[in-house]
Amino acid sequence: MSLAWHHLRSEPARLPLLVPRLMPGPVRSAARAAASRSGALPRAYALWDQGRREEAREVLLSAARGASPRRVGRLVSAALAAGDADTARELVERIPSGSHRTAAEYRTALATGRAVPASPSVSPDRHGFTLTRGAPTRPDDTVNAQRPAETRGEGWRVATDPGRPGAGVRVLHLVTNALPHTNAGYTQRTHRIAVAQQEAGMDVHVATRAGYPLTKGVLDPRTLVRVDGIPYHRLLPWTAPGDHAEELRAGLRLGSELVEALRPDVLHAASNHHNARLALELGRRYGIPVVYEVRGFLEESWLSRDPSRSVEDAFYQAERASETECMLAADLVVTLGEAMRADIEARGVPRERLLVVPNAVDVSFLDPLPSGAGVREGLGIGQEEFVVGTTTSCFGYEGLEVLLEAVALMRGQGEPAHALIVGDGPELATLRDRAERLGLTGAAHFTGRVPADRVRHHHAALDVFAVPRLDERVCRLVTPLKPVEAMAGGLPVVASDLPALREIVEPGVTGELIPAGESARLADVLTKLAYSREKRTSYGQAGQERVGANRTWTEAVYRYNQAYRVLIRKMSGPGQNP
């Protein structure tokens, strides 16, 4: 209730966009049709729900002609709620000088990142040591050092098993969201790390951000949930945090109780800086080493979603500064690839406090794919027709329109090609509309989000896995997980020729790289692969072998364990033997 009241006060214009997502399909269609026959705002919301953004823009601009300042201000709020900053700015220009215009300008500045509210701060260099400072360590100190069994709090005992390299280490992960309610690359990475660490003998716990999952509208008030034996703790205050400062206070209060009960040896926070800040404050309070795992640069993702945004914008600057501050304060920074490592090192984080642990897969992903015949049949795709697709979140920078355009070009040349996009996101409605306009009805398939245990069935329905990311800063830096999972199943990968993707795909060996944004070039490469099953098989086998050799969570946990041991030894001080 407090969450609903918070949203109603802070972003009432977003409610008409969110409510339809909770409706069953027929009800949603009926509501959309009714709204289309109503006033300007309901019509605009109905068009946004269908992905018809240009038409919605025209409805708002028409409604603003001759309207009162208060009325135009409401139109500005609606445009901002839909993420249409250009229309919002144009509407603001139509409001005469005065209080209504000032308020609309400020709302627009906040929504577009031209202004930001104040945020709390942390002090850098919290512990004043790095992984390599002090006396050198023996190999056994960093890889396989064993810890005597000891009681850690009422009812807790750390078991020591000499055959399990992680035995004796208790780690608490601090993350934004998690399974079972959020299934994404972020949550899958968290879970796979946790499962592999548990199998290596670590005592693993995961805590989600204060208020989750209630703050996401999921009515699940349990404070502890186990998924595959991994305990997921939820920090649930009685009322929803109203802002990030309240969230941090609630996290500290509830997180302190959890730390005192678990007595972890390491706090391992994952992006973004809100999780890192909580870990750093808890680490300072209880003398626990802090690992900050940078899985992405969210300021870069924000930048990529609107071409009018700039690295000079206040939001970008504030987010980047907060991220850098937390990186400098952590005892160890983990990231996903060499391009990301170089960016972090350029911010001033010493190389000896940086560790690359790339996206990986569970060894079960290396098993033969299940049959994809059922997926193809359900979508109306013939067993011999060529299918290219991806599993992803539907954001603009993923370049999925480029994929649709390439398939349209292939079909125009007589190739019976299909596009299969598995996933959800803010651009899904726009992509469906784009596919229809390209004449891909019946040839472009959008499944929405599917259960995790069905992802490999959809992999099996593909002939080629595509990663057509655009040439955005975030895409040049951040290495995705999804193509690694596809390679593990033996799928060839065609990706944009960007630094982060070059770390995954070797052209001519495991797949192909193409210039970002070039649908004609993508269509050409896909057509050649459609005619060469032998090449597709060769690429798939080579990719699978590389993933098996270098990108399993078993290998990743070995690196984590080595780093944890060094941190624990350093925190214990000279002469200690944790």
Side-chain angles (χ1 to χ4, degrees), residues 93-110:
E93 293 299 319
R94 301 188 182 191
I95 304 175
S97 299
S99 60
H100 289 293
R101 175 159 180 159
T102 300
E105 286 177 334
Y106 182 64
R107 287 200 306 275
T108 303
L110 283 177

Side-chain angles (χ1 to χ4, degrees), residues 84-256:
D84 189 347
D86 287 340
T87 299
R89 282 190 283 266
E90 188 168 340
L91 289 168
V92 168
E93 293 299 319
R94 301 188 182 191
I95 304 175
S97 299
S99 60
H100 289 293
R101 175 159 180 159
T102 300
E105 286 177 334
Y106 182 64
R107 287 200 306 275
T108 303
L110 283 177
T112 60
R114 304 307 194 265
V116 292
S119 64
S121 179
V122 297
S123 300
D125 295 328
R126 183 174 61 92
H127 293 300
F129 65 79
T130 68
L131 285 177
T132 59
R133 189 175 300 168
T137 56
R138 294 170 296 138
D140 283 349
D141 290 332
T142 59
V143 179
N144 290 308
Q146 299 302 315
R147 181 175 188 165
E150 62 172 312
T151 301
R152 303 291 298 275
E154 185 65 25
W156 289 93
R157 178 172 292 277
V158 179
T160 301
D161 179 352
R164 306 172 82 189
V169 175
R170 178 173 294 146
V171 55
L172 174 61
H173 293 269
L174 298 168
V175 299
T176 299
N177 46 37
L179 298 174
H181 296 304
T182 302
N183 182 16
Y186 179 95
T187 59
Q188 285 293 332
R189 180 176 172 100
T190 298
H191 191 64
R192 297 307 169 191
I193 291 170
V195 169
Q197 287 181 332
Q198 186 179 70
E199 291 174 350
M202 296 185 195
D203 186 8
V204 185
H205 297 260
V206 182
T208 48
R209 190 175 291 180
Y212 177 85
L214 298 177
T215 50
K216 297 303 177 184
V218 178
L219 299 180
D220 184 350
R222 292 176 293 173
T223 57
L224 175 63
V225 176
R226 293 183 184 273
V227 181
D228 297 331
I230 302 298
Y232 282 86
H233 303 268
R234 291 157 176 182
L235 309 180
L236 297 179
W238 279 103
T239 59
D243 54 31
H244 291 310
E246 285 186 20
E247 180 187 285
L248 179 59
R249 286 194 291 271
L252 277 171
R253 177 171 53 83
L254 297 169
S256 294

Side-chain angles (χ1 to χ4, degrees), residues 122 172-178 186 190 207-210 212 235 244 247-248 251-252 267-283 290-293 295 298 322-323 326:
V122 297
L172 174 61
H173 293 269
L174 298 168
V175 299
T176 299
N177 46 37
Y186 179 95
T190 298
T208 48
R209 190 175 291 180
Y212 177 85
L235 309 180
H244 291 310
E247 180 187 285
L248 179 59
L252 277 171
L267 297 172
H268 187 145
S271 296
N272 63 7
H273 61 86
H274 297 295
N275 301 325
R277 198 177 306 281
L278 174 60
L280 289 165
E281 294 297 338
L282 290 171
V290 173
V291 175
Y292 181 29
E293 182 163 304
R295 298 182 180 177
L298 298 190
S322 293
E323 287 289 334
C326 290

Side-chain angles (χ1 to χ4, degrees), residues 342-572:
D343 183 276
I344 294 169
E345 189 175 359
R347 301 181 191 218
V349 179
R351 180 180 289 262
E352 61 268 23
R353 276 169 49 192
L354 268 166
L355 176 67
V356 173
V357 181
N359 277 318
V361 298
D362 187 84
V363 292
S364 63
F365 269 76
L366 298 169
D367 293 339
L369 288 173
S371 172
V375 172
R376 285 191 171 220
E377 182 179 355
L379 296 172
I381 303 173
Q383 296 305 314
E384 297 302 318
E385 292 182 296
F386 179 78
V387 183
V388 57
T390 188
T391 57
T392 187
S393 297
C394 298
F395 289 104
Y397 58 76
E398 294 290 352
L400 299 177
E401 284 198 11
V402 176
L403 176 60
L404 295 176
E405 291 167 2
V407 171
L409 289 171
M410 294 175 71
R411 293 183 69 84
Q413 296 167 359
E415 180 66 35
H418 290 255
L420 174 57
I421 295 175
V422 180
D424 199 357
E427 295 297 318
L428 182 56
T430 301
L431 290 167
R432 284 177 168 148
D433 181 61
R434 179 62 175 154
E436 183 178 344
R437 292 171 185 265
L438 287 168
L440 292 177
T441 302
H445 311 272
F446 302 90
T447 66
R449 187 168 296 170
V450 302
D453 59 2
R454 294 291 300 170
V455 168
R456 299 189 82 235
H457 290 81
H458 288 78
H459 282 171
L462 298 176
D463 294 296
V464 173
F465 191 91
V467 191
R469 288 188 157 190
L470 302 181
D471 189 6
E472 303 277 1
R473 287 167 58 92
V474 64
C475 300
R476 292 195 293 271
L477 290 171
V478 179
T479 54
L481 170 63
K482 300 304 183 182
V484 179
E485 293 180 341
M487 290 170 68
L491 282 173
V493 177
V494 176
S496 297
D497 190 4
L498 301 170
L501 294 173
R502 287 183 212 126
E503 297 182 31
I504 300 174
V505 180
E506 182 178 355
V509 178
T510 63
E512 298 286 351
L513 295 175
I514 61 162
E518 295 192 12
S519 55
R521 180 75 179 109
L522 177 58
D524 182 52
V525 169
L526 291 175
T527 299
K528 291 177 180 177
L529 288 174
Y531 283 97
S532 179
R533 184 183 298 272
E534 182 180 357
K535 181 168 285 188
R536 298 201 307 265
T537 300
S538 173
Y539 286 168
Q541 289 177 345
Q544 188 175 51
E545 289 171 4
R546 291 199 176 185
V547 170
N550 303 308
R551 286 180 175 267
T552 65
W553 290 123
T554 302
E555 171 66 21
V557 166
Y558 178 88
R559 300 183 192 184
Y560 283 124
N561 179 60
Q562 183 181 27
Y564 288 170
R565 293 291 184 180
V566 176
L567 289 176
I568 295 168
R569 190 184 68 83
K570 290 285 188 179
M571 184 63 75
S572 299

